[in-house]
Amino acid sequence: MLLACAMSSYSQQKKVTVYTTAANTDLRLAQTGTLEFKSMPQPLETEPCVFVDPKVSFQTFTGIGGALTDASAETFAKLPKAKQEELLRAYYNVNNGIGYTFARTNIQSCDFSSDTYTYIEEHDSTLKTFNIKHDLQYKIPFIKAATQAAGGKLPLFVSPWSPPAWMKDNNDMLHGGHLLRKYYQAWANHYIKFIRSYEALGIPVWGLSVQNEPMAKQKWESCIFTAEEERDFIKGYLGPTLAKSGMSNKKLLSWDHNRDLLYQRASTLLQDKETAKYIWGIGYHWYETWTGSDMQFQNERLVQQAFPHINLVFTEGCVEKFDYNRLHDWAIGERYGYSLVNDFNSGTVAWTDWNVLLDENGGPNHVGNFCFAPVHADTRSGELIYTNAYYYLGHFSKFIRPGAKRIVSSSSRSPLQTTAFRNQDGKLAVVVLNMSDKEIPYHLWIAGKAAATSSQPHSISTLIIE
């Protein structure tokens, strides 16, 4: 009864504030007006609507953030102090920025490192030489600064790209290869060493993924885990080692690769009870589009339907093939908006962008895999360049806060894509994405009341009902 009353009050007594980012305008997360609800018992088919139902809720929101990589940290260190402070405020301050609440970092080197490095000496399977000295120069200070800017709390998950070369059958940290079974326990111990080393320096680790992109043989750091190998590694080594080390509370994410094989990997792992008991969530990326495919959101929904207790986490995405002349290409931000809306509607609880910051070349990257980030630093001038991806992300991260519940938001027109959340303070955040060339008038409708508004061409809006 209380929920029904609350639902009615949203439309009858509350105000709606609209924030918009739109192509061919100066609007960037700009407040563009307030709306009023009026009686509208039954919309006609000719009247486009976004129907919101706060009575029906789904998954609980964990957070949105980006990866604090070596590349981001090294680029950050090259900025003047005032610009460093600006970047931290832009990402992590909810009032004067977009309020990131989630983060990722790499265990040992990845492609977005300036070189290949490890934390242990050659053939040290006992890990006696384990040392994170490499990270003390740039990455650890950057993670600490971001955490402080976020108010002292920034849930961080950590991911390896490759074990040391000598632990693998190709004797190479790059170019795929498999972890040798005789080193399964040593590698499981390595995660523990890493987590303890970071936490000893005051950086809490919220969770970890088993392996970044376990089916990709890359020219950079990579390591192949088939579904059966990952199952056996979790069940026999990593899961028990976390438990014995008092780290059962760390959120373990498996897969951490594209949506295309998502269901096959999830079913192989989660249908094995001894493996499933250690897994908190399934991570995924958006790069299945390399095949020419669209983003395969249906695979997320199938995993969520088949394993409703599991948590879906978007663990990485970026726009590849950096080109300085494309920094303000509107398609970059729209790719983010399209993924975010559909990922959350498919049951995702957390969403993690790739590098939070890169330089004017889309790096540094030690194998030339240069990419876009939401913010770039021109290290020649010390200036920050905000792509529209930053603003598209902000339409979610600024207004949807940890602990929010996704609620029904249903569009009567396919060009109006939408998702919505109810925050713990009772405010509703309704996101409306329009990737078409047309302005679309519509009504925001709740329980027989509606507020008239319009969606600009190639725009994203967040409507806050309070």
Side-chain angles (χ1 to χ4, degrees):
M1 184 66 183
L2 283 174
L3 197 50
C5 291
M7 176 176 158
S8 177
S9 70
Y10 277 117
S11 56
Q12 292 182 17
Q13 302 167 17
K14 306 280 182 169
K15 67 174 182 177
V16 183
T17 307
V18 184
Y19 298 85
T20 302
T21 295
N24 303 313
T25 72
D26 294 329
L27 300 176
R28 300 292 182 272
L29 271 171
Q31 185 175 330
T32 50
T34 56
L35 310 177
E36 290 185 5
F37 284 102
K38 296 181 180 179
S39 179
M40 191 181 192
Q42 176 57 64
L44 301 174
E45 291 179 326
T46 54
E47 298 173 302
C49 287
V50 170
F51 301 106
V52 176
D53 186 357
K55 279 201 302 184
V56 180
S57 62
F58 305 98
Q59 76 271 24
T60 301
F61 177 79
T62 297
I64 293 176
L68 306 170
T69 58
D70 289 310
S72 295
E74 290 167 28
T75 303
F76 180 79
K78 295 176 182 177
L79 287 171
K81 185 160 182 61
K83 288 297 179 179
Q84 291 180 338
E85 292 173 353
E86 178 188 326
L87 181 85
L88 293 171
R89 187 168 54 248
Y91 268 126
Y92 298 103
N93 188 294
V94 71
N95 297 312
N96 300 311
I98 61 173
Y100 267 8
T101 52
F102 204 52
R104 182 193 196 199
T105 199
N106 49 295
I107 299 174
Q108 302 194 133
S109 60
C110 65
D111 51 328
F112 280 93
S113 303
S114 291
D115 55 6
T116 296
Y117 65 88
T118 66
Y119 301 128
I120 52 177
E121 293 180 6
E122 194 87 355
H123 302 296
D124 176 19
S125 59
T126 63
L127 311 185
K128 288 180 180 177
T129 60
F130 189 95
N131 192 311
I132 57 167
K133 182 180 178 181
H134 174 279
D135 297 3
L136 290 171
Q137 184 175 7
Y138 297 115
K139 196 166 62 167
I140 286 171
F142 185 45
I143 293 171
K144 286 187 171 183
T147 303
Q148 184 178 2
K153 182 182 178 183
L154 187 62
L156 173 75
F157 74 97
V158 298
S159 306
W161 266 244
S162 176
W166 53 269
M167 286 190 181
K168 298 168 64 182
D169 63 2
N170 66 341
N171 197 34
D172 186 356
M173 283 187 71
L174 319 184
H175 310 111
H178 294 250
L179 175 66
L180 292 166
R181 284 198 173 250
K182 66 180 179 179
Y183 292 123
Y184 271 26
Q185 188 58 58
W187 186 232
N189 294 340
H190 192 279
Y191 298 81
I192 306 302
K193 284 275 192 179
F194 180 85
I195 292 169
R196 284 182 174 159
S197 296
Y198 266 54
E199 294 194 334
L201 294 173
I203 300 174
V205 173
W206 172 89
L208 65 158
S209 68
V210 179
Q211 167 64 43
N212 178 73
E213 298 188 347
M215 288 308 296
K217 180 181 177 181
Q218 305 283 25
K219 63 181 180 180
W220 53 85
E221 289 84 345
S222 45
C223 182
I224 304 296
F225 277 83
T226 65
E228 293 77 16
E229 286 171 330
E230 186 176 15
R231 177 197 65 202
D232 294 347
F233 179 61
I234 293 171
K235 175 170 57 176
Y237 299 89
L238 183 55
T241 301
L242 287 166
K244 289 174 186 174
S245 303
M247 295 188 183
S248 297
N249 62 326
K250 305 302 181 190
K251 309 297 191 291
L252 182 61
L253 300 170
S254 57
W255 187 225
D256 201 1
H257 203 168
N258 298 332
R259 299 184 187 96
D260 49 3
L261 304 182
L262 183 62
Y263 186 84
Q264 182 265 343
R265 181 63 56 123
S267 61
T268 303
L269 300 178
L270 298 175
Q271 287 171 1
D272 184 292
K273 290 182 180 179
E274 288 303 304
T275 305
K277 70 182 183 182
Y278 296 114
I279 298 173
W280 182 84
I282 305 289
Y284 65 92
H285 300 181
W286 72 14
Y287 308 112
E288 69 270 21
T289 53
W290 73 269
T291 64
S293 167
D294 192 7
M295 294 181 183
Q296 295 183 312
F297 306 113
Q298 76 281 0
N299 291 338
E300 299 171 49
R301 291 191 291 271
L302 285 169
V303 169
Q304 200 279 326
Q305 290 162 5
F307 309 100
H309 65 286
I310 208 70
N311 296 281
L312 287 169
V313 178
F314 182 92
T315 46
E316 185 188 315
C318 73
V319 175
E320 301 163 282
K321 299 179 181 178
F322 180 78
D323 178 350
Y324 191 88
N325 296 316
R326 285 189 62 211
L327 276 171
H328 298 293
D329 184 344
W330 205 256
I332 292 173
E334 286 196 328
R335 178 168 179 166
Y336 277 80
Y338 178 63
S339 183
L340 283 152
V341 165
N342 287 281
D343 289 333
F344 285 129
N345 285 345
S346 300
T348 291
V349 303
W351 208 96
T352 329
D353 184 36
W354 191 203
N355 306 277
V356 295
L357 177 70
L358 292 173
D359 65 17
E360 68 275 8
N361 300 310
N365 184 294
H366 72 91
V367 290
N369 181 35
F370 301 120
C371 296
F372 288 91
V375 183
H376 284 264
D378 190 327
T379 59
R380 299 163 298 187
S381 64
E383 291 302 310
L384 293 173
I385 303 164
Y386 294 83
T387 75
N388 61 323
Y390 167 83
Y391 300 101
Y392 271 74
L393 280 157
H395 274 275
F396 299 83
S397 60
K398 186 177 179 71
F399 303 109
I400 304 165
R401 308 304 294 166
K405 287 276 191 181
R406 185 171 68 88
I407 58 174
V408 169
S409 187
S410 170
S411 172
S412 68
R413 296 290 188 275
S414 62
L416 292 179
Q417 300 182 58
T418 180
T419 192
F421 286 80
R422 182 180 66 245
N423 283 299
Q424 290 181 308
D425 62 5
K427 294 179 184 178
L428 303 187
V430 183
V431 180
V432 177
L433 174 70
N434 178 4
M435 295 170 64
S436 79
D437 296 330
K438 297 180 180 179
E439 181 174 356
I440 305 173
Y442 69 96
H443 286 87
L444 178 67
W445 190 99
I446 303 178
K449 304 285 183 179
T453 185
S454 187
S455 177
Q456 298 191 39
H458 295 285
S459 73
I460 185 168
S461 292
T462 305
L463 298 87
I464 303 300
I465 306 170
E466 56 182 314

